[in-house]
Amino acid sequence: MKGVTMLKWIGLGVVIWSLSLLWPEVNFILTPPVIAGLVLALAAIILAYILGYYHSQFDQTQTDRCNENKQKHSSRPSRPVPPLSMA
């Protein structure tokens, strides 16, 4: 899993480097403040994703515990139907 993540970062670096070969002005666009902003935005997105993931896991475990304590009642009883009298 970690190797795949590292390959994605290497791939991103190669894409940016090859873009600078084809379009030299990209080096003027990718200034240190722009890169810092991109890194901060990416970090905020990752943090939001992680917090959302753990929050949903916490909610799921709370729901499971709540459902375990409740008795399960069916809206349709499973008792046999009493016979009808033929009078």
Side-chain angles (χ1 to χ4, degrees):
M1 184 73 178
K2 204 167 201 171
V4 174
T5 305
M6 186 58 85
L7 285 175
K8 288 180 182 179
W9 284 108
I10 291 172
L12 180 64
V14 168
V15 166
I16 292 173
W17 173 76
S18 62
L19 185 62
S20 69
L21 289 177
L22 298 174
W23 184 34
E25 289 83 20
V26 79
N27 291 328
F28 296 120
I29 296 171
L30 296 175
T31 61
V34 171
I35 295 296
L38 289 173
V39 168
L40 288 175
L42 182 63
I45 291 170
I46 290 171
L47 180 64
Y49 175 77
I50 290 171
L51 288 175
Y53 175 78
Y54 284 117
H55 182 66
S56 68
Q57 291 294 326
F58 179 74
D59 284 347
Q60 184 65 32
T61 56
Q62 293 291 9
T63 303
D64 290 343
R65 285 186 196 152
C66 184
N67 288 339
E68 287 175 1
N69 294 335
K70 290 183 180 177
Q71 292 181 352
K72 295 182 179 176
H73 294 288
S74 176
S75 62
R76 297 180 180 176
S78 61
R79 290 177 280 152
V81 177
L84 298 173
S85 65
M86 304 280 272

